Amino acid sequence: MVLLNLFVVTSLGAVDSRSVESSPIKPNVVLILADDLGYTDLGVMGSDLYQTPNIDGLASQGLRFTNAHSSHPTCSPSRTAIMTGKYPARLGIVGHGGRGTVTAGDGTFMPCEEYTMAEALTDAGYTTCHIGKWHVGHEGTTGPKEQGFQFDIASNEFCCPGSYIYPYRNKKKAGVQAENSAVPDLQDRGPDDHLTECLGDEAVKFISSHKDEPFFLNLAYYAVHTPIESERDKVAKYKKLITPDSRQRNAAYAGLVEHLDESVGRVLKAIRDNGLERNTIVIFFSDNGGEVTHGETSNYPLRDGKVSQYLGGIRVPLIVKWPGVTPVGATSEIPVIGHDLYPSILQMVGAQGDTKHNAQIDGVDLTAVFQDPASQLDRQALHWLRYPVVFHYRKGERKRGPVGTIIKGNWKLMEFFPTPHGQDRSFELYNLREDISEQENVAAANPELVTELHQEMIRWRESVDAPEYEMAFKEYEKIP
């Protein structure tokens, strides 16, 4: 991968006292990752209930993507893709975690030999910090510190926190799950401190302590993943705002979104207060689409949500503020995907990465789009692949069963695999420009296009050496 030195003094404003003679200033990078935040869960993205003035303000200062996607419709594979720049399927992750298996929770999730974004930036002279949800490995083998982060704060061994309320553990349960879901490092907090606020406060401390050196902060919120818990005054506020016409109707979820927005606001303020605004890249993203199973949110006009490969499960908000480079308040319709962030961030800061790792990166450098939102990318299609996910799949739920997907231009083809529960192989084809809600399956009317796109899906699976699908997966034995 050829990298250009894009951060010249003129793009960053006047040189400050931290510059060394004529050497360029390395920009700080703050990657803010929300958990399960849906495509329309922000005011700027069209929410009809949630109030997110701080994140909306970030969008007004940077570039907002309207056609951004997560690399997978669930969190572990999606986060692995961000950290490695690779399709999850290339790493054998075709379930909800684990390498070379579809077994959720087994294995090392992200292989320890992967050269992560954190390792690349550490090698480029950055101080690196992870705060919050990890869920792509285990402490001691593939935790944040083993995968390149010098600081690791408040990361547990689970998908979510035991509670957002102090002491941030599930008081009603005991055992391994309760211990794994407990959030560490926040023992000095109290009953008035919501977990989401705590993570923002830890980020503020890190920024203030490392303002005189280039840093990479990976701020991975647990919000807005379950359990849906927010302060009572916020719940009461949104109950009053819900109308008969509201599509988003969960007041507690709305409150949790507001907690997230307020915490992000604290982080953005810390960047300003420490004089770092002109030299700090801020990226806001979500790991997958919004959860809709129990009425958490609505992703309308997109169909379905988390786990599903309909757009509600994979299309997400993406905002990039690169001072002096991204146009202010601009939008881009260019299709992008989570693992594009790896090569893009390396390019933005001038980090070389690892030659062997770079040769297998699936992500595409987006810096040309950051400069000109109308730029085109040299990429033909986007792909997804998911086999059984025990945590989210039940018999007869075809839309959440094993499926492969390709988006190429305006067309989206989904291949539903046969299952032991009686599901036959089938295809769904949608014209996304005309049918963003994916309501009209036009596969029967376009057999040649289905064949063409399906062949491209097969070639892609072969190119990334994806695990082959089997009707005899042991996972199926665990599905009630």
Side-chain angles (χ1 to χ4, degrees):
M1 179 172 59
V2 179
L3 295 172
L4 302 175
N5 186 355
L6 291 176
F7 52 100
V8 295
V9 172
T10 55
S11 71
L12 296 173
V15 180
D16 65 22
S17 60
R18 292 177 299 133
S19 62
V20 181
E21 296 180 352
S22 61
S23 299
I25 305 169
K26 293 181 178 180
N28 306 307
V29 179
V30 177
L31 174 57
I32 302 174
L33 187 64
D35 193 0
D36 290 2
L37 188 76
Y39 182 72
T40 57
D41 278 356
L42 302 175
V44 72
M45 298 298 292
S47 172
D48 67 358
L49 177 62
Y50 317 140
Q51 297 178 0
T52 54
N54 295 294
I55 302 173
D56 294 352
L58 178 66
S60 72
Q61 298 168 4
L63 174 62
R64 177 170 59 92
F65 287 81
T66 60
N67 202 359
H69 306 83
S70 59
S71 301
H72 195 274
T74 61
C75 50
S76 293
S78 173
R79 290 162 185 265
T80 296
I82 293 170
M83 281 292 110
T84 64
K86 299 178 180 181
Y87 273 114
R90 184 181 290 279
L91 302 175
I93 303 175
V94 289
H96 192 55
R99 186 184 182 200
T101 175
V102 297
T103 303
D106 279 352
T108 55
F109 291 93
M110 179 166 63
C112 60
E113 63 267 24
E114 288 299 310
Y115 184 79
T116 67
M117 184 189 299
E119 290 172 297
L121 295 186
T122 297
D123 289 346
Y126 279 73
T127 299
T128 55
C129 177
H130 172 82
I131 298 176
K133 177 169 174 171
W134 183 239
H135 203 211
V136 294
H138 301 289
E139 183 179 357
T141 55
T142 52
K145 287 190 174 180
E146 289 77 28
Q147 296 293 77
F149 287 98
Q150 296 157 306
F151 295 89
D152 171 25
I153 302 170
S155 66
N156 66 14
E157 292 276 301
F158 204 54
C159 65
C160 47
S163 175
Y164 287 94
I165 310 303
Y166 184 83
Y168 317 119
R169 61 185 301 120
N170 192 328
K171 297 179 181 179
K172 299 179 181 179
K173 292 185 178 180
V176 174
Q177 180 173 321
E179 291 303 314
N180 287 347
S181 64
V183 180
D185 303 328
L186 302 173
Q187 294 84 356
D188 60 334
R189 302 306 176 119
D192 293 333
D193 299 312
H194 193 275
L195 174 59
T196 309
E197 298 170 359
C198 294
L199 299 189
D201 291 343
E202 293 299 323
V204 169
K205 292 179 187 177
F206 174 80
I207 291 169
S208 300
S209 299
H210 297 275
K211 62 183 178 181
D212 295 323
E213 60 199 45
F215 61 79
F216 167 47
L217 172 59
N218 188 51
L219 177 53
Y221 285 100
Y222 293 96
V224 289
H225 196 293
T226 54
I228 308 302
E229 297 173 334
S230 58
E231 294 173 348
R232 292 180 179 177
D233 62 335
K234 287 181 169 51
V235 176
K237 167 187 172 179
Y238 284 102
K239 282 184 176 179
K240 295 178 181 178
L241 294 176
I242 296 172
T243 71
D245 296 328
S246 298
R247 295 189 179 92
Q248 295 165 326
R249 306 184 59 81
N250 188 323
Y253 185 92
L256 191 53
V257 172
E258 184 170 301
H259 277 296
L260 172 67
D261 182 74
E262 291 177 344
S263 186
V264 170
R266 295 185 189 191
V267 176
L268 298 177
K269 183 176 184 297
I271 293 171
R272 293 193 300 271
D273 290 349
N274 284 283
L276 302 175
E277 189 171 20
R278 289 187 298 175
N279 194 38
T280 300
I281 297 164
V282 180
I283 300 173
F284 180 89
F285 193 53
S286 179
D287 64 348
N288 50 249
E291 177 67 90
V292 297
T293 305
H294 303 292
E296 290 85 350
T297 192
S298 167
N299 298 311
Y300 181 86
L302 307 184
R303 180 175 176 178
D304 207 11
K306 177 181 178 178
V307 183
S308 166
Q309 286 182 26
Y310 293 112
L311 287 183
I314 56 175
R315 186 167 287 187
V316 292
L318 171 61
I319 299 168
V320 178
K321 180 188 175 185
W322 186 4
V325 179
T326 48
V328 175
T331 60
S332 176
E333 297 180 355
I334 301 298
V336 299
I337 195 166
H339 46 271
D340 291 339
L341 294 179
Y342 186 108
S344 302
I345 290 175
L346 266 62
Q347 178 81 350
M348 293 163 88
V349 305
Q352 296 298 318
D354 175 79
T355 302
K356 182 179 179 181
H357 183 92
N358 292 346
Q360 283 198 319
I361 283 179
D362 297 301
V364 172
D365 172 22
L366 303 178
T367 53
V369 181
F370 295 161
Q371 297 173 80
D372 177 5
S375 296
Q376 298 299 309
L377 298 176
D378 184 19
R379 175 167 53 199
Q380 297 301 309
L382 299 175
H383 295 268
W384 292 263
L385 184 63
R386 178 179 50 71
Y387 294 160
V389 180
V390 172
F391 292 159
H392 302 282
Y393 171 58
R394 296 294 182 267
K395 292 179 183 178
E397 292 186 348
R398 175 168 157 271
K399 64 183 179 181
R400 294 184 170 222
V403 59
T405 297
I406 180 175
I407 294 179
K408 185 175 184 180
N410 297 330
W411 294 101
K412 176 180 179 182
L413 180 69
M414 304 174 73
E415 176 188 9
F416 292 89
F417 296 96
T419 72
H421 310 127
Q423 176 179 303
D424 296 326
R425 184 182 304 275
S426 63
F427 295 93
E428 294 183 8
L429 179 68
Y430 298 99
N431 184 327
L432 297 181
R433 181 167 293 278
E434 298 178 358
D435 182 20
I436 193 66
S437 299
E438 298 172 282
Q439 296 299 305
E440 185 180 0
N441 175 15
V442 295
N446 297 274
E448 293 183 357
L449 181 56
V450 169
T451 299
E452 176 188 334
L453 292 175
H454 186 226
Q455 289 302 311
E456 189 162 344
M457 293 169 75
I458 293 173
R459 289 193 296 271
W460 170 78
R461 292 171 198 164
E462 293 173 347
S463 72
V464 300
D465 195 24
E468 293 187 7
Y469 179 74
E470 300 176 16
M471 285 275 279
F473 277 136
K474 291 184 177 180
E475 285 296 83
Y476 281 124
E477 300 174 6
K478 303 176 185 179
I479 296 174

